[in-house]
Amino acid sequence: LFSLQQLGPAFVKLGQWAATRRDLFPVYFCIRLSELHSSTYTHSFAHTQKALVEAFGENYESRGLVLKKDDIILGSGSAAQVHKATLKTAKGEKPVAVKVLHPSIRIKVERDLSLMQHIANFIDLCIPLQSVKMLSLPRAVSNFADIMRRQVDLRIERDNLDIFRDNFGCSDKASPLINFPEPQCHWVSEQVLVEDYIGDGARPISDYLEDDSVSGLKERRALAGTFVRSALKMVFTDNFVHSDLHPGNVFVREEKTKLNETKYTITFVDAGIATSLQPNDRQNLRDLFKAVVLNDGYTAGALMVERARFERCSSIPGGKEKFASGVQEIISEFHDRRKKGLTLGAVRIGTLLAKVLDLCRVYKVEIDPAMSSIVISMMVLEGLGRSLDPDLNLIKSAMPFLVGNLVGKV
């Protein structure tokens, strides 16, 4: 952890991603890296105060924002840290969360990305193996660079939060199942974001992952369905995906209903990274999910070639057929697992998508770079969902989002 944090914020972000992949790395390794989700190095209160003055003027306290040196630091991530503070409004005082970028974060991010790009270029040029070429490391780093740069302007996060809140109707519901913090009007700048405080009763979802008791497993199953459906809604309905959903950015609030049942509200925070797909790539993703259900990867592959803005399959004898057959082979491997149930424990949709992207690189079928970001997001979401409930049937959960295009075919 010390080494990652010394390397810089971009490497911390990679560590956060690795912590969610218990299907790739040992559990103890993931548990150790998961500390990066909320407890990286913190910066000084002097820097926070300086950022507030630069953002809102020296009179920010008289305007209503009160943040004291001994106020709680709620968490610190790769790009920023969050303080608990008080905001005085016409309706009275209320607790808020104040997110402040770390010192010189933009310079540090660019330094890290430059190092990563040089390493990727060196590996790509100097290791003449097809498996290495298929990784397309320079392009992967370029996509990662775009993601990291979005995190160092908190106005982007404000805009993203507004979109997510609108998509999930957060303002229209007294107690929604899915929630996002509301940015406070007139209290947002490039370096500082003031938003709703999600409450002292909210618990990190990682707390639930550590409880293996009978009641704990029951709670996890209840959370898994809501979590996975919300992720599928982002992908298939809204086409606006929170692309930084590691456990440190997901919180759960419990409340009792009138029937004394427990109701869970999942709150997603740190929405600086969001991804949308172009119409063709969005349809390709939907078709791949349909192909798993129908075991028809060949048609999905052929359509991907036809929709591609650039492809070289058609110029190679039998190229289109080979690409479509390759997609069919990948889909068939996953479809065969339906005998065991298409559960999160049995199926790796993120891996399936990654294999299809590898095939696209081999046959030069162009895919929007945003698709790579979506695949990474799906892997992280899938990993967290699997940790909550490995027996959750993924395709059954996805069916309501696909049924419009499946009616008449199933």
Side-chain angles (χ1 to χ4, degrees):
L1 296 184
F2 175 81
S3 298
L4 281 175
Q5 293 181 73
Q6 288 298 308
L7 282 169
F11 292 93
V12 171
K13 180 60 65 181
L14 283 177
Q16 291 174 340
W17 169 79
T20 67
R21 301 308 311 275
R22 296 192 180 197
D23 53 329
L24 297 180
F25 305 109
V27 173
Y28 68 86
F29 181 78
C30 294
I31 291 174
R32 182 69 171 137
L33 285 179
S34 67
E35 295 179 26
L36 295 171
H37 290 148
S38 59
S39 57
T40 58
Y41 288 142
T42 59
H43 61 244
S44 69
F45 181 76
H47 171 74
T48 291
Q49 206 165 32
K50 178 184 176 185
L52 289 171
V53 169
E54 290 177 354
F56 309 125
E58 294 184 357
N59 65 334
Y60 71 86
E61 285 193 355
S62 63
R63 290 172 54 203
L65 182 62
V66 180
L67 194 159
K68 299 179 180 178
K69 187 173 183 178
D70 56 352
D71 279 337
I72 299 171
I73 295 178
L74 299 172
S76 182
S78 60
Q81 73 184 38
V82 183
H83 300 259
K84 183 180 179 181
T86 302
L87 183 64
K88 299 176 182 178
T89 68
K91 298 180 181 179
E93 294 186 358
K94 66 175 183 178
V96 292
V98 179
K99 185 172 185 177
V100 182
L101 292 179
H102 291 314
S104 307
I105 186 65
R106 189 177 292 276
I107 295 172
K108 292 177 181 177
V109 164
E110 292 298 334
R111 177 202 64 194
D112 292 355
L113 295 175
S114 177
L115 175 59
M116 288 181 175
Q117 195 70 63
H118 279 91
I119 293 173
N121 291 341
F122 176 80
I123 293 174
D124 192 64
L125 288 171
C126 298
I127 303 181
L129 297 176
Q130 186 64 29
S131 57
V132 173
K133 299 296 181 185
M134 286 175 59
L135 291 174
S136 190
L137 290 177
R139 184 176 182 181
V141 171
S142 178
N143 293 338
F144 181 68
D146 181 56
I147 289 172
M148 285 301 301
R149 289 183 179 116
R150 284 182 243 167
Q151 283 208 301
V152 295
D153 186 345
L154 295 180
R155 294 169 298 187
I156 294 175
E157 180 166 352
R158 182 266 318 273
D159 295 341
N160 291 347
L161 284 170
D162 286 340
I163 294 171
F164 281 123
R165 287 181 59 80
D166 184 59
N167 288 345
F168 283 89
C170 299
S171 300
D172 304 328
K173 302 173 185 176
S175 182
L177 292 176
I178 299 295
N179 193 31
F180 291 82
E182 182 177 7
Q184 300 302 297
C185 189
H186 308 304
W187 291 100
V188 181
S189 75
E190 181 179 347
Q191 294 188 71
V192 183
L193 169 64
V194 181
E195 61 187 16
D196 279 345
Y197 175 54
I198 61 176
D200 293 325
R203 296 168 55 192
I205 201 167
S206 54
D207 287 359
Y208 294 84
L209 302 180
E210 298 169 0
D211 187 354
D212 292 327
S213 65
V214 174
S215 61
L217 293 173
K218 183 179 179 180
E219 287 182 322
R220 279 155 59 173
R221 284 193 293 272
L223 290 171
T226 302
F227 176 80
V228 170
R229 284 191 295 274
S230 68
L232 292 168
K233 180 182 185 303
M234 292 182 203
V235 173
F236 293 113
T237 303
D238 304 332
N239 191 29
F240 196 72
V241 183
H242 190 313
S243 300
D244 195 18
L245 281 183
H246 58 71
N249 287 339
V250 185
F251 290 82
V252 180
R253 175 185 288 279
E254 301 178 17
E255 59 179 321
K256 291 294 184 180
T257 66
K258 293 180 180 179
L259 299 176
N260 202 35
E261 297 176 339
T262 302
K263 179 182 178 182
Y264 301 95
T265 296
I266 298 178
T267 299
F268 298 125
V269 302
D270 201 5
I273 305 174
T275 307
S276 298
L277 290 175
Q278 295 297 321
N280 282 350
D281 294 299
R282 187 182 182 191
Q283 189 59 49
N284 286 338
L285 184 63
R286 188 184 295 272
D287 285 347
L288 287 171
F289 267 78
K290 286 166 54 181
V292 174
V293 178
L294 303 172
N295 194 18
D296 187 13
Y298 190 93
T299 299
L303 289 172
M304 288 177 70
V305 175
E306 292 175 10
R307 295 188 189 118
R309 288 173 292 276
F310 170 80
E311 53 85 16
R312 294 181 61 183
C313 280
S314 302
S315 62
I316 303 171
K320 181 178 178 180
E321 291 74 17
K322 289 179 181 178
F323 176 81
S325 297
V327 175
Q328 176 62 50
E329 184 177 334
I330 294 169
I331 294 297
S332 294
E333 175 189 345
F334 284 76
H335 189 270
D336 289 344
R337 297 181 185 181
R338 293 189 70 177
K339 299 170 185 176
K340 300 179 181 179
L342 282 172
T343 65
L344 287 173
V347 177
R348 302 288 194 270
I349 290 293
T351 303
L352 180 152
L353 297 174
K355 286 184 175 181
V356 172
L357 289 189
D358 285 340
L359 200 65
C360 289
R361 282 191 284 271
V362 171
Y363 285 92
K364 301 296 187 294
V365 177
E366 186 181 32
I367 293 291
D368 188 336
M371 179 69 95
S372 297
S373 298
I374 290 289
V375 170
I376 293 173
S377 298
M378 291 291 287
M379 287 180 169
V380 173
L381 292 167
E382 189 179 30
L384 182 50
R386 186 178 302 115
S387 297
L388 288 169
D389 182 11
D391 296 325
L392 180 69
N393 190 302
L394 181 61
I395 297 302
K396 185 177 180 180
S397 299
M399 193 63 72
F401 302 94
L402 302 172
V403 70
N405 287 342
L406 286 176
V407 170
K409 294 186 179 182
V410 179

